[in-house]
């Protein structure tokens, strides 16, 4: 928050904005979820993407329009057709995953051309991540949902670098002794608790830049804010 | 007549190998170069399509002699380096020729036998007939494939400057319009605090500081990414002070 003050950004969290209305003088008026109206000169929407899949027959698409692929990134039911990047339903539509899938498919094309069997693609478990706060033992847990197989099961994040953040102590919320174990398997019961609806969920999309930086920065949480 | 000659040579060859006890007989590698040429069609002129085509062409000849041709289909003549778009919308920060790179030029080294660039938008896919239909200058052009890679990416829900808007010219125009609007604006609201929103707000605030009012609206309790609003690429990690989490983002459940 301090950093934002330095740059002077006015951040409104937990706030939804309705589509703007253009006023007669060309300004944009947005109504925020609290009922507040803000009038600005320029509106920059950055949320959400839609797949560019209009040329693909609908039988190969999921309800959101993403191309459905199997573990070889091959379009389900379409021999010799592959889909990579934002347009498929494998991983979050982010650059990091586009890069990974591109590397993989280029290798597989070469294998196929050489008459060899292609290799399956291992989708990383960093689709949608959640931060859970278990009231009972005051533990924060990062979990994530893998879009890859379309399952809606929350999974442990074995490769999720933000495990480092789990030692987080939230002021007044987390007892210092309750640093979370870093072994994903030991968090299974917390994920179970989440499934039973006993935990509170905050949800956002994994940000690979944040993940990479999280590895570099020694994280220190102040006891009192 | 040629098959008689061929048969004669085969018998002669076989006889020769019998007499020489296969001493001159090389183990036969599968001769992939005599296979039918494979057409690899890649759709999409963004990261997915262009980088896959480059990766394939760069490495394929190291592994196999099988014949192939790559056809890259893109509605954009230029590759749009859209990762830089959050800064690209600020006037004078990034030149057009850095933000947009000609696609075909990057593949010139591979020659026309191995690579072809088709400027047009894919309009239909015939999976049974292994054919992609592309609108090239208003004409429906059918392109047959053995392998098809779909890498056509995504667009923002609300039209904006962060994704291709259908053609390079159109996208350039959108960026220029946005630069002008950023320049003229005294107040800007960025909605959505994903990587793009966070970076855009950071870039705008870094550039204009107190000269313009910058608001970032997030539907989530997104404070944990807040430290990255500082335009992290401009700073080394050591510059970032310890993280502070806003307790309001994690309310008690009592």
């Amino acid at each position: 928050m301090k950093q934002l003050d330095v740059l002077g950004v006015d951040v409104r969290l937990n706030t939804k904005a309705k589509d703007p209305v253009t006023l007669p003088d060309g300004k944009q008026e947005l109504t925020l979820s609290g009922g507040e109206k803000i009038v600005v000169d320029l509106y920059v929407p950055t949320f959400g993407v839609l797949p560019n899949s209009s040329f693909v027959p609908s039988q190969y698409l999921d309800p959101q329009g993403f191309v459905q692929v199997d573990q070889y990134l091959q379009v389900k039911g379409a021999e010799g057709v592959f889909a990579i990047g934002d347009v498929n339903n494998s991983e979050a539509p982010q650059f990091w995953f586009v890069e990974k899938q591109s590397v993989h498919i280029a290798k597989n094309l070469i294998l196929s051309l050489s008459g060899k069997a292609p290799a399956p693609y291992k989708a990383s478990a960093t689709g949608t991540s959640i931060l859970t706060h278990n009231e009972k033992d005051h533990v924060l847990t990062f979990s994530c949902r893998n879009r890859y197989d379309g399952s809606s099961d929350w999974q442990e994040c074995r490769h999720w670098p933000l495990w480092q953040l789990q030692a987080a102590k939230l002021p007044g919320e987390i007892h210092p002794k309750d640093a979370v174990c870093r072994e994903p398997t030991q968090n299974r019961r917390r994920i179970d608790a989440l499934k039973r609806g006993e935990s509170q969920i905050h949800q956002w999309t994994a940000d690979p830049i944040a993940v990479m930086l999280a590895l570099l920065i020694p994280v220190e949480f102040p006891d009192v804010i | 007549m040629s098959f008689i000659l061929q048969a004669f040579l085969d018998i002669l060859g076989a006889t020769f190998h019998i007499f020489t006890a296969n001493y001159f007989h090389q183990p036969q590698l599968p001769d992939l170069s005599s296979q039918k040429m494979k057409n690899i069609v890649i759709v999409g002129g963004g990261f997915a399509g262009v980088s896959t085509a480059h990766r394939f062409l760069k490495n394929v000849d190291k592994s196999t002699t099988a014949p192939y041709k790559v056809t890259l289909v893109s509605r954009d003549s230029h590759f749009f380096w859209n990762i830089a778009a959050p800064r690209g919308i600020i006037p004078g920060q990034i030149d057009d020729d850095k933000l947009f790179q000609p696609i075909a030029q990057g593949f010139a080294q591979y020659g026309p036998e191995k690579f072809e660039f088709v400027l047009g938008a894919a309009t239909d896919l015939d999976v049974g007939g292994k054919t992609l239909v592309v609108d090239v200058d208003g004409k429906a052009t059918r392109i047959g494939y053995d392998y098809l890679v779909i890498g056509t990416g995504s667009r923002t829900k609300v039209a904006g400057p962060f994704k291709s808007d259908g053609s390079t010219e159109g996208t350039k125009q959108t960026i220029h319009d946005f630069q002008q609007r950023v320049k003229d604006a005294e107040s800007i609201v960025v909605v959505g605090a994903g990587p793009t929103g966070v970076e855009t707000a950071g870039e705008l605030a870094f550039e204009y500081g107190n000269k313009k009012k910058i608001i970032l609206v997030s539907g989530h309790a997104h404070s944990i990414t807040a430290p990255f609003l500082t335009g992290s690429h401009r700073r080394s990690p050591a510059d970032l002070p310890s993280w502070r989490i806003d307790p309001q983002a994690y309310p008690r459940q009592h």
Side-chain angles (χ1 to χ4, degrees):
Chain A
M1 294 294 116
K2 201 174 98 190
Q3 287 296 317
L4 303 182
D5 291 343
V6 171
L7 282 173
V9 178
D10 175 3
V11 183
R12 314 289 181 91
L13 298 172
N14 281 319
T15 305
K16 301 251 186 259
K18 284 191 187 147
D19 287 344
V21 177
T22 306
L23 300 176
D25 61 357
K27 287 180 186 280
Q28 308 277 316
E29 185 188 69
L30 280 90
T31 307
L32 303 182
S33 50
E36 185 194 350
K37 288 187 178 191
I38 52 174
V39 177
V40 292
D41 296 318
L42 180 60
Y43 164 67
V44 187
T46 68
F47 50 89
V49 293
L50 300 168
N52 295 328
S53 59
S54 58
F55 65 101
V56 181
S58 59
Q59 70 199 88
Y60 303 109
L61 306 177
D62 74 5
Q64 285 76 42
F66 292 94
V67 181
Q68 291 181 292
V69 293
D70 65 13
Q71 55 172 336
Y72 294 92
L73 300 174
Q74 175 160 303
V75 178
K76 286 179 183 170
E79 202 211 322
V81 183
F82 303 86
I84 57 166
D86 286 14
V87 80
N88 77 14
N89 70 336
S90 171
E91 288 168 299
Q94 287 167 357
F95 175 69
W96 183 258
F97 303 120
V98 180
E99 192 72 359
K100 258 187 77 193
Q101 293 178 20
S102 162
V103 167
H104 190 85
I105 208 72
K107 278 185 192 160
N108 269 359
L109 282 173
I110 293 171
L111 285 170
S112 298
L113 202 66
S114 321
K116 293 176 189 151
Y121 178 75
K122 287 192 192 86
S124 31
T126 43
T128 302
S129 65
I130 50 168
L131 175 66
T132 60
H133 173 212
N134 193 326
E135 274 295 304
K136 221 189 255 173
D137 52 7
H138 294 299
V139 156
L140 284 178
T141 306
F142 280 94
S143 315
C144 45
R145 181 152 60 178
N146 191 339
R147 262 174 46 182
Y148 180 70
D149 54 3
S151 88
S152 58
D153 259 9
W154 294 103
Q155 294 169 8
E156 300 141 9
C157 313
R158 286 178 192 283
H159 307 293
W160 184 241
L162 285 180
W163 284 117
Q164 292 192 348
L165 299 185
Q166 287 194 342
K169 296 169 285 180
L170 291 191
E173 300 263 335
I174 304 280
H175 193 272
K177 280 191 295 185
D178 290 327
V180 183
C181 54
R182 295 184 183 207
E183 280 303 311
T185 46
Q186 288 175 277
N187 283 300
R188 183 167 286 142
R189 66 189 177 87
R190 288 169 197 138
I191 292 171
D192 287 344
L194 169 69
K195 285 177 184 165
R196 291 195 301 270
E198 290 170 15
S199 292
Q200 185 198 349
I201 300 172
H202 296 285
Q203 186 170 338
W204 64 81
T205 306
D207 176 354
I209 296 163
V211 171
M212 284 186 281
L213 279 164
L215 281 171
L216 297 171
I217 305 165
V219 182
E220 188 188 307
F221 290 90
D223 284 315
V224 180
I225 289 180
Chain B
M1 293 301 283
S2 69
F3 71 94
I4 298 176
L5 185 67
Q6 186 63 49
F8 175 72
L9 285 174
D10 282 353
I11 292 166
L12 201 68
T15 317
F16 172 77
H17 287 307
I18 289 166
F19 277 101
T20 56
N22 274 346
Y23 183 82
F24 295 101
H25 199 210
Q26 297 293 322
Q28 285 283 304
L29 288 168
D31 185 8
L32 294 164
S33 59
S34 66
Q35 281 182 353
K36 189 179 158 287
M37 193 176 72
K38 299 282 189 197
N39 282 310
I40 297 160
V41 177
I42 300 173
V43 211
F47 282 110
V50 172
S51 67
T52 302
H54 269 298
R55 287 191 169 105
F56 176 83
L57 287 162
K58 213 170 153 187
N59 296 303
V60 62
D61 293 338
K62 294 176 198 161
S63 305
T64 179
T65 55
Y68 61 86
K69 185 183 174 188
V70 173
T71 305
L72 181 62
V73 177
S74 168
R75 55 186 194 170
D76 303 287
S77 61
H78 288 58
F79 175 84
F80 174 31
W81 182 249
N82 73 340
I83 278 192
R87 206 187 316 170
I89 62 168
I90 295 167
Q93 287 273 322
I94 306 177
D95 294 340
D96 275 0
D97 55 355
K98 289 212 174 106
L99 214 49
F100 298 91
Q101 308 264 354
I103 296 172
Q105 207 173 304
F107 290 95
Q109 54 182 305
Y110 299 110
E113 300 83 31
K114 288 183 174 173
F115 180 84
E116 186 186 349
F117 181 70
V118 174
L119 182 64
T123 54
D124 203 0
L125 169 61
D126 174 6
V127 167
K130 293 208 157 195
T131 304
L132 180 75
V133 185
V134 181
D135 177 356
V136 182
D137 287 333
K139 259 188 274 175
T141 307
R142 298 175 70 82
I143 302 175
Y145 62 81
D146 295 289
Y147 300 108
L148 175 70
V149 179
I150 300 170
T152 41
S154 60
R155 61 191 186 279
T156 43
K157 278 180 185 163
V158 183
F162 303 111
K163 298 277 185 187
S164 162
D165 82 341
S167 72
T168 296
E169 284 315 305
T171 312
K172 269 188 194 171
Q173 193 56 49
T174 305
I175 297 253
H176 293 163
D177 289 352
F178 233 84
Q179 289 172 343
Q180 190 58 43
R181 287 161 67 190
V182 165
K183 196 178 166 192
D184 295 343
E186 284 171 11
S187 53
I188 302 171
V189 62
V190 178
V191 180
T196 307
V198 165
E199 201 186 337
T200 303
E203 293 287 357
L204 288 168
F206 189 90
E207 180 69 18
Y208 296 110
N210 301 322
K211 287 184 221 136
K212 294 185 198 295
K213 168 96 178 139
I214 314 289
I215 306 166
L216 175 69
V217 177
S218 167
H220 301 286
H222 234 297
S223 59
I224 204 158
T225 53
F228 302 108
L229 282 171
T230 51
S232 47
H233 57 282
R234 295 179 194 273
R235 295 161 167 271
S236 76
D239 289 342
L240 289 172
S242 60
W243 287 18
R244 282 171 170 266
I245 292 184
D246 179 359
Q248 297 305 312
Y250 306 99
R252 283 170 175 276
Q253 293 287 292
H254 298 306

